[in-house]
Amino acid sequence: MSSPRLSSPCPACNGQEFQLLFTASDRLYHTTTERFQVVECKSCRLMQLAPQPTPNELAAYYPKNYWFTPEASAVSHLEEIYRRFVLRDHVRFVARALRESEESGPVLDVGCGGGLFLRMLQDRGVHVMGLDFSIDAANVAWTSNGVPAACGTLSQAPFRPGTCAAITMFHVLEHLYDPAVYLRAAHELLRPDGRLIVQVPNAGCWQFLLLGASWNGVDVPRHLYDFRPADLDRLLAASGFEVLRRKYFSLRDNPAGLATSLAPWLDPMARRIRQARESSRERLLKDLLYGACVAAALPFTAIEAACRAGSTIMMEARKKT
């Protein structure tokens, strides 16, 4: 492997030496045919895209409607039922954190997308707020799911310090140029015993070992960093947090991630974004086939998660005492 030198040091350890792991392009949404390098820091092993795209370039790699938007069709209705079912473990994870913290205040979901997760929390009587960098996503959260959402970044969020009982970031940190900025902002916004819940793809999973660049979790070029659990531990500790709980399985993400890795052409969201030409019957058949792939992936993903090598990792953390 060659040893590229980046223009800036590793954000985790200030290391200067990197090794090339692989090159890849956008195999999911086909927003570009350009190939990108993924490198690993020789000191701490943090993985990152190199060189990282400029903000204008990066924006072009995010398709419009990069989130689920409910439609009037029967297929869309079934899809929302499925999404509600697989989001239950996320909701339970956050509900337990709120119960054990005994803090009052809203739950702020950063990168809220269309707001379905917040709607499910709100249905439990939880006070919720959403934040997303896309004004279209915030609008969907308001209009389709009835949850308050603002457009902006967490470092400039229009909320008073010390107001949030919990802050959630599901698949957010890997998209940021400087994840520590968001974590420090969360530290300031949380109440004294408030809880931070983060979830990222786990680059220490078996799927990555088996599939390499074809693993859906690297999602080139939208993921600027690829975290292993130790990377996330160090990042949280440096930002003033202590980890309370870890979860290596997500019913929403782990089986579907493996199915998408093996058959990206079947992924329903990718087909919608690529505007694949298909009749209603073809769409239904592909959705059913994708669902069968997800179901077939469930045993393997459950086993890897039981071995603490699941393809996602969710952590609950609080401020250091």
Side-chain angles (χ1 to χ4, degrees):
M1 289 287 184
S2 58
S3 300
R5 295 185 67 89
L6 275 63
S7 58
S8 58
C10 172
C13 70
N14 290 319
Q16 300 284 345
E17 296 290 331
F18 301 85
Q19 62 179 355
L20 176 65
L21 296 182
F22 55 84
T23 62
S25 190
D26 185 0
R27 68 190 299 263
L28 185 57
Y29 298 130
H30 301 172
T31 59
T32 178
T33 57
E34 183 180 352
R35 298 193 66 80
F36 300 84
Q37 292 184 334
V38 174
V39 303
E40 179 183 74
C41 174
K42 288 188 174 181
S43 297
C44 71
R45 299 189 63 212
L46 177 65
M47 296 163 53
Q48 62 178 294
L49 204 65
Q52 292 183 345
T54 66
N56 285 339
E57 292 171 337
L58 189 60
Y61 304 141
Y62 284 89
K64 189 177 181 180
N65 295 335
Y66 184 64
W67 53 84
F68 174 70
T69 304
E71 299 173 357
S73 68
V75 172
S76 180
H77 179 65
L78 291 174
E79 188 173 352
E80 180 167 0
I81 292 174
Y82 169 77
R83 286 176 177 271
R84 280 180 167 273
F85 174 73
V86 296
L87 272 172
R88 286 179 181 174
D89 62 340
H90 289 65
V91 172
R92 285 194 293 265
F93 193 93
V94 174
R96 174 180 164 181
L98 290 171
R99 186 169 60 252
E100 294 179 353
S101 75
E102 298 183 345
E103 282 284 14
S104 60
V107 173
L108 174 62
D109 185 30
V110 180
C112 65
L116 180 58
F117 163 73
L118 286 178
R119 180 178 174 182
M120 293 175 67
L121 271 181
Q122 187 171 254
D123 290 344
R124 286 176 167 237
V126 178
H127 180 198
V128 300
M129 302 185 299
L131 185 70
D132 201 285
F133 66 84
S134 168
I135 192 170
D136 292 327
N139 183 59
V140 170
W142 272 103
T143 58
S144 296
N145 286 305
V147 296
C151 178
T153 63
L154 188 62
S155 55
Q156 298 177 330
F159 310 117
R160 294 196 311 271
T163 58
C164 296
I167 294 176
T168 58
M169 301 183 197
F170 297 110
H171 296 273
V172 170
L173 295 178
E174 65 270 24
H175 295 268
L176 303 175
Y177 287 105
D178 191 350
V181 169
Y182 263 44
L183 293 179
R184 289 193 294 267
H187 192 278
E188 183 176 349
L189 288 171
L190 282 170
R191 293 184 58 79
D193 198 31
R195 300 301 161 89
L196 173 68
I197 292 94
V198 298
Q199 183 191 37
V200 297
N202 175 18
C205 68
W206 292 357
Q207 292 183 41
F208 180 54
L209 292 175
L210 292 170
L211 301 173
S214 296
W215 176 50
N216 189 57
V218 298
D219 198 22
V220 171
R222 285 164 291 276
H223 289 184
L224 303 181
Y225 295 99
D226 300 295
F227 299 102
R228 298 180 179 91
D231 301 322
L232 198 53
D233 283 342
R234 284 191 293 268
L235 186 60
L236 287 167
S239 301
F241 290 98
E242 59 179 340
V243 176
L244 301 177
R245 192 165 41 124
R246 295 174 173 83
K247 188 178 190 323
Y248 290 86
F249 183 77
S250 164
L251 186 59
R252 181 191 71 172
D253 300 307
N254 293 33
L258 179 54
T260 296
S261 297
L262 297 174
W265 56 277
L266 282 178
D267 184 275
M269 181 68 76
R271 285 166 29 227
R272 183 181 300 121
I273 286 173
R274 294 200 304 265
Q275 297 182 338
R277 294 182 178 179
E278 51 192 32
S279 65
S280 298
R281 182 179 180 182
E282 288 174 324
R283 179 183 177 187
L284 179 59
L285 288 174
K286 287 182 179 179
D287 285 346
L288 291 174
L289 183 56
Y290 182 76
C293 291
V294 172
L298 186 57
F300 174 83
T301 56
I303 292 171
E304 68 170 350
C307 296
R308 301 174 68 85
S311 60
T312 61
I313 180 166
M314 191 185 303
M315 291 188 179
E316 175 193 350
R318 67 182 176 192
K319 297 180 181 182
K320 290 180 182 177
T321 55

